[in-house]
Amino acid sequence: GGGSRLRVALGLSPGQGRPAGVVVPLGARGLHWAGRFCQRVTTEASQATLASVSPVFAVMKHDKEGNTTYFEKKKTELYQELGLQARDLRFQHLMSIATRNNRIIMRMEFLKAVVTPEFLLVLDYRNVNLEQWLVSELVSQLAGEGQGQLLTCSLPFEFRAIEAILQYRISKLQGRLNTLQPQILETLEALVDPKLLSVDRSKLHILLQNGKSLSELETDLKVFKETLLEILDEEEVIEELCLSKWTDPRVFEESTSGIDHAEEMELLLENYYRQAEDLANEARELRVLIDDSESIIFINLDSHRNVMMRLNLQLTMGTFSLSLFGLIGVAFGMNLESSLEEDPRIFWLVTGIMFLGSGLIWRRLLSFLGRHLEPSLPPHVPAVLKKPPPAPGRVEIKSNHKAETFGLSRSTITDQ
């Protein structure tokens, strides 16, 4: 159609072609149709290119009857089939819960899911971190079987799907905390030992890595709590999460007659919010323990450093004492003649004076060092006797009685 209109605009008949080498001038209308034609061709080509490079999701579908199917589908086909927009399946945030067109779109780190009243879609289910959970836990949980039986088995399908996903996330966070806690405690126990004169660098490296992992865990717990708290603060969002309430008349009648599904959804979210809060408190206690142990490690190192400095100072004092009285030996060792070197007893006398003087000086310096390094005791403060407080009924006292009491106490103090 665009080609025929272009031919008409160029003044050519439908079957007539332009002779080679002939330049046909285009008018305003011809330029307009030529531009529209090129724009349409470019748009169709770009759409075809986007369709060819559109990502493909490996999807696991589990419906409320218990049937599980696996298939692959392009992103464009999937969001069109679900009645969503392309931006809804981007999963930009590591943790999110949103509702679109009576669909619940959830992401819990590696887990990407779309919940409807009839089925649950798990996207990219071939992830290594999801295989064990999908095979051993999810199907049995949604069917109301197995050890990890859900609390929402009697509620509509979306309740079970949401609880299974939240339970998966909490179990992952709990597993990370259970892995970190014994490692941190073991490392801290080895580092705070007061018998160690030095700190093992390998233990410090392990503690540093565990501290970073603990910080990441605290961040994930904080994001998880904030995600749930944002939903709990909005009653409209809680209502939107109850999908069957708006699609199934029987569920709507139950919600209006006695069972409040919005309240059940709120209780479900609050339950996992409290679990996340408990995990965050445990992680916070570990963080405080690491900080306290770090202070203990520094105190131990400072204590050992002070011992070495004191020993070095004592040896320096001994060297000074020997050097001071060694001058006598230096004087007698010179090639100078005097009458003293002829006496055989003078050698032992000078040597004795040198050792005795050095020992006395060293002892004096050590006592001086001990007096100035030992912590001084606080001065004794005598206890001040205080009068017992007056009874509540005797607070009001006459002015003349107070004057007499003041004068009596003043004369007593003067006599003392």
Side-chain angles (χ1 to χ4, degrees):
S4 62
R5 287 194 296 270
L6 182 60
R7 284 178 173 275
V8 173
L10 294 176
L12 300 175
S13 62
Q16 181 182 4
R18 180 177 61 83
V22 178
V23 179
V24 180
L26 294 179
R29 186 179 178 184
L31 290 173
H32 171 72
W33 285 108
R36 290 189 61 182
F37 176 73
C38 294
Q39 182 179 4
R40 179 178 179 183
V41 172
T42 305
T43 305
E44 292 177 354
S46 61
Q47 290 179 354
T49 304
L50 289 174
S52 61
V53 299
S54 178
V56 178
F57 286 123
V59 184
M60 188 202 81
K61 180 179 180 180
H62 184 87
D63 57 20
K64 59 183 180 181
E65 283 79 19
N67 302 318
T68 305
T69 55
Y70 302 89
F71 56 89
E72 293 183 355
K73 184 164 288 191
K74 290 185 178 180
K75 178 181 178 180
T76 53
E77 299 175 358
L78 185 61
Y79 71 71
Q80 290 174 1
E81 179 181 336
L82 294 173
L84 302 174
Q85 300 293 329
R87 63 176 180 270
D88 297 331
L89 298 181
R90 289 176 184 170
F91 299 103
Q92 295 179 350
H93 303 285
L94 288 177
M95 198 166 304
S96 62
I97 301 175
T99 56
R100 298 285 189 279
N101 194 21
N102 207 32
R103 305 283 189 267
I104 302 175
I105 305 168
M106 302 182 67
R107 180 174 183 182
M108 298 291 166
E109 198 173 4
F110 302 106
L111 176 60
K112 305 173 185 177
V114 179
V115 182
T116 70
E118 293 81 18
F119 55 84
L120 166 66
L121 296 181
V122 179
L123 310 182
D124 295 334
Y125 70 91
R126 293 172 182 167
N127 193 297
V128 179
N129 300 280
L130 298 176
E131 288 182 354
Q132 183 179 1
W133 175 69
L134 292 174
V135 173
S136 60
E137 297 183 19
L138 178 62
V139 177
S140 60
Q141 285 179 344
L142 294 178
E145 302 172 355
Q147 297 179 355
Q149 189 172 1
L150 303 177
L151 301 175
T152 55
C153 294
S154 59
L155 294 174
F157 178 77
E158 66 269 15
F159 284 81
R160 287 175 280 160
I162 293 174
E163 184 179 2
I165 294 174
L166 294 178
Q167 191 178 64
Y168 160 78
R169 184 58 180 164
I170 283 292
S171 63
K172 284 293 182 181
L173 296 173
Q174 180 71 55
R176 289 168 57 183
L177 182 61
N178 293 340
T179 303
L180 284 174
Q181 189 171 11
Q183 295 178 359
I184 292 176
L185 294 178
E186 181 181 357
T187 306
L188 292 178
E189 185 178 359
L191 288 175
V192 299
D193 189 0
K195 298 179 182 179
L196 297 178
L197 298 179
S198 61
V199 178
D200 190 355
R201 292 182 179 272
S202 61
K203 296 290 185 182
L204 287 178
H205 181 71
I206 295 174
L207 183 62
L208 177 62
Q209 297 297 327
N210 291 334
K212 292 173 61 177
S213 301
L214 184 62
S215 300
E216 295 174 359
L217 176 61
E218 289 177 333
T219 302
D220 292 343
L221 285 168
K222 180 181 178 182
V223 173
F224 182 77
K225 288 167 50 184
E226 289 177 351
T227 303
L228 296 182
L229 192 59
E230 289 177 0
I231 299 175
L232 290 172
D233 291 339
E234 299 290 338
E235 295 183 359
E236 296 179 358
V237 179
I238 296 177
E239 291 282 351
E240 292 175 358
L241 291 177
C242 305
L243 304 179
S244 300
K245 181 179 179 180
W246 312 110
T247 57
D248 191 346
R250 181 180 58 83
V251 176
F252 182 79
E253 292 177 0
E254 291 179 357
S255 180
T256 55
S257 61
I259 302 176
D260 190 354
H261 288 84
E263 185 177 354
E264 295 292 338
M265 181 64 72
E266 185 177 1
L267 292 175
L268 174 64
L269 298 178
E270 285 180 353
N271 179 27
Y272 285 94
Y273 179 83
R274 285 194 299 269
Q275 294 185 33
E277 184 69 26
D278 294 338
L279 293 180
N281 291 334
E282 294 182 16
R284 196 177 301 112
E285 290 176 0
L286 276 180
R287 174 63 60 187
V288 172
L289 186 59
I290 291 176
D291 295 339
D292 294 343
S293 301
E294 183 179 357
S295 302
I296 294 174
I297 292 171
F298 287 143
I299 290 174
N300 289 337
L301 291 178
D302 291 340
S303 176
H304 293 304
R305 190 181 298 112
N306 292 336
V307 170
M308 299 303 296
M309 292 175 62
R310 181 164 183 163
L311 178 61
N312 186 21
L313 186 58
Q314 291 174 352
L315 294 177
T316 303
M317 290 179 176
T319 305
F320 171 76
S321 303
L322 289 174
S323 301
L324 182 63
F325 282 87
L327 294 176
I328 302 176
V330 171
F332 277 90
M334 292 182 178
N335 295 326
L336 298 176
E337 294 182 359
S338 62
S339 60
L340 296 177
E341 65 268 10
E342 296 178 358
D343 191 351
R345 295 171 298 179
I346 198 66
F347 172 78
W348 300 108
L349 179 62
V350 172
T351 304
I353 292 174
M354 289 173 53
F355 279 101
L356 182 61
S358 300
L360 292 176
I361 292 295
W362 190 34
R363 182 64 180 174
R364 183 66 178 174
L365 291 175
L366 290 179
S367 62
F368 173 81
L369 179 65
R371 286 197 307 270
H372 285 77
L373 290 184
E374 290 294 334
S376 58
L377 295 176
H380 177 69
V381 179
V384 180
L385 298 178
K386 296 182 179 181
K387 291 184 178 181
R394 300 184 179 180
V395 176
E396 298 181 358
I397 305 175
K398 294 182 179 180
S399 58
N400 55 358
H401 181 67
K402 289 200 298 185
E404 292 174 2
T405 306
F406 178 75
L408 178 62
S409 59
R410 183 176 179 181
S411 59
T412 306
I413 294 174
T414 305
D415 294 340
Q416 291 180 356

